[in-house]
Amino acid sequence: MDDITSRVLVSDPETRRALQLDALSAILPMERRDQLAELLTDDDVETLKHLAREGVGENTLRALASDLAYLEGWARTATGSPLPWPAPESLVLKYVAHHLWDPAKRETDPHHGMPTAVATELQDALLLRTIGPHAPSTVKRRLANWGTLHRWKGQEGPFHAPSLRAALRLAVRASVRPRQRKSKRAVTRDVLDRLLATCRSDRIVDTRDLAILLMAFASGGRRRSEVARLRVEQISDEAAVPLDPKDPRSPTLPCVAIQLGRTKTGVADEAGRVLLVGPPVEALREWLERADISKGPVFRAIDRWEALEERALTPQSINLIVKRRCAMAGLEPREFSAHGLRSGYLTEAARQGVALPEAMQQSQHRSVQQAASYYNEAERSFGRAARLIL
């Protein structure tokens, strides 16, 4: 390290933290590096580096970093100071009060819930996107990660205090917030075709995005985290399958198997295996051949000069690719997300008369109720179940 760099690191803490975060570029969402460097403290960065050395899972570390950055930003805005370690019970209770509240009471009491000035500052900093109370699951997850970070620092926090449990229970009950879909609209076959039509050039980024869209949809609507972390070693060639299984002279289609490993609802040693048949296989093979990828991450970043990078795409990048393709197809990006591929797969399966258990085998859903919930209300209105009295 030269003298100039050393002086910069000493005089500019944000630059120092940004360079330290570069060491975690394979794990953390580095498109947010500068924001993380601004929000996190030196101790926060050291904690994250320690967790990475200890082998904490990539998705877990991303969630910890994201939640820690939000908590630091909220604490500075709400109290004027960084997060104290250990956190006092009063600060944790303030966090609950700012994020879980009763919208009806807010109409008569403007001081109820998160103060407007705090909410405005967090929105300006792109830390707050929710108008109104947060989802209880989000609040509970951040509290859990806050507590986890305390334990990793060897400190006791107030997260198991009876008063906090009681306050959280009452706040969840008072905070009436309808469940929102992760994607307002499902990416059904008609929508998918429009997205695929934007990927028909010879540009390598189009070849990659075509493979992402086809693979994510056809493999059962894979989650964006599963698409981002897919590795060549998880893919194996299978015997070609007939286009028409009932016709012995039918032409055949290429087939590959994807070993999913650990998923959101499963564990690594379970038989999480799905098949790809036909065009998705061809698109995937074309991408791997053009990108000269024979091992490691399948879907990788491409810079502005169309040079392939070594690092894998992040889950957020997969989401942005879907939104960008929606914009190119003349669709409203705000109505779609990567999760629309998952709900769209099940919705399309229902449209084409595929039995739900068969579709669930490909999507790897465990709960029939959960899988059925992805059928959009708009699609249900066209089904027979809502029309039995007609």
Side-chain angles (χ1 to χ4, degrees):
M1 183 180 298
D2 57 37
D3 292 340
I4 295 177
T5 302
S6 299
R7 288 197 297 271
V8 169
L9 289 178
V10 170
S11 62
D12 187 354
E14 286 186 21
T15 300
R16 179 177 64 250
R17 289 193 290 271
L19 292 175
Q20 290 175 333
L21 286 169
D22 274 341
L24 302 175
S25 59
I27 298 174
L28 296 184
M30 294 313 295
E31 64 270 15
R32 292 184 54 210
R33 187 197 69 166
D34 292 341
Q35 184 185 37
L36 289 173
E38 180 181 353
L39 292 168
L40 302 179
T41 65
D42 288 341
D43 287 342
D44 292 338
V45 174
E46 284 302 317
T47 298
L48 294 174
K49 290 171 66 178
H50 170 73
L51 293 176
R53 289 192 297 268
E54 290 294 315
V56 172
E58 293 184 6
N59 289 341
T60 299
L61 192 56
R62 288 192 193 101
L64 285 170
S66 178
D67 287 346
L68 179 57
Y70 178 82
L71 289 168
E72 285 283 9
W74 167 78
R76 293 180 189 181
T77 303
T79 69
S81 302
L83 280 178
W85 300 90
E89 185 176 332
S90 59
L91 183 65
V92 181
L93 289 171
K94 180 189 286 287
Y95 167 79
V96 173
H98 277 198
H99 294 83
L100 292 175
W101 38 274
D102 183 356
K105 183 173 177 58
R106 178 66 172 259
E107 293 179 0
T108 58
D109 181 5
H111 299 293
H112 179 69
M114 183 180 290
T116 302
V118 173
T120 300
E121 188 169 339
L122 291 176
Q123 288 168 348
D124 291 343
L126 303 180
L127 289 173
L128 184 66
R129 289 173 291 184
T130 299
I131 299 176
H134 278 47
S137 59
T138 301
V139 174
K140 291 177 180 178
R141 188 199 70 229
R142 285 186 176 141
L143 287 174
N145 283 340
W146 202 353
T148 296
L149 289 165
H150 273 74
R151 291 192 295 275
W152 276 102
K153 288 174 174 285
Q155 298 176 342
E156 290 293 330
F159 301 96
H160 296 292
S163 58
L164 176 60
R165 291 182 178 182
L168 186 60
R169 184 173 61 252
L170 292 173
V172 168
R173 188 181 303 170
S175 177
V176 180
R177 186 174 184 269
R179 182 178 177 87
Q180 300 292 323
R181 290 189 179 275
K182 295 179 182 179
S183 181
K184 290 183 180 179
R185 289 184 58 188
V187 180
T188 46
R189 179 60 188 271
D190 54 331
V191 175
L192 180 66
D193 286 343
R194 293 178 65 176
L195 303 188
L196 298 178
T198 69
C199 304
R200 298 304 184 188
S201 82
D202 290 332
R203 297 174 62 226
I204 192 169
V205 68
D206 285 348
T207 302
R208 181 198 65 185
D209 291 358
L210 181 71
I212 286 175
L213 292 170
L214 282 170
M215 174 269 165
F217 183 89
S219 60
R222 298 270 57 85
R223 301 177 181 89
R224 60 183 184 176
S225 60
E226 295 167 1
V227 176
R229 69 167 180 257
L230 181 65
R231 299 178 65 85
V232 174
E233 294 78 9
Q234 295 172 250
I235 304 172
S236 59
D237 289 333
E238 297 286 319
V241 298
L243 176 62
D244 182 358
K246 299 178 181 180
D247 182 0
R249 295 174 298 179
S250 173
T252 59
L253 300 172
C255 178
V256 299
I258 297 177
Q259 189 69 36
L260 296 175
R262 183 174 59 187
T263 64
K264 180 180 178 181
T265 57
V267 294
D269 58 354
E270 288 185 333
R273 183 172 177 270
V274 297
L275 298 177
L276 287 183
V277 175
V281 178
E282 295 167 353
L284 186 59
R285 286 176 174 171
E286 182 180 0
W287 158 246
L288 292 174
E289 182 178 350
R290 285 198 65 186
D292 194 23
I293 297 173
S294 59
K295 62 180 180 179
V298 171
F299 299 117
R300 307 185 184 191
I302 299 173
D303 66 23
R304 68 183 68 180
W305 298 280
E306 294 205 339
L308 189 69
E309 300 184 8
E310 291 294 323
R311 63 186 177 92
L313 291 174
T314 65
Q316 177 62 7
S317 297
I318 301 297
N319 197 47
L320 292 175
I321 286 170
V322 172
K323 289 182 175 293
R324 182 171 67 247
R325 293 295 169 180
C326 285
M328 294 172 66
L331 301 168
E332 175 51 65
R334 289 177 296 181
E335 295 184 354
F336 295 91
S337 73
H339 200 270
L341 292 163
R342 190 157 176 79
S343 58
Y345 172 82
L346 289 171
T347 303
E348 189 63 35
R351 281 182 176 182
Q352 298 191 24
V354 177
L356 185 57
E358 183 180 350
M360 288 174 61
Q361 188 175 18
Q362 184 77 342
S363 68
Q364 295 285 297
H365 277 91
R366 288 188 166 201
S367 165
V368 173
Q369 182 179 6
Q370 182 184 23
S373 71
Y374 287 118
Y375 286 76
N376 284 2
E377 297 295 335
E379 303 302 330
R380 289 178 180 175
S381 65
F382 289 96
R384 291 180 297 170
R387 296 165 173 257
L388 293 183
I389 202 170
L390 299 182

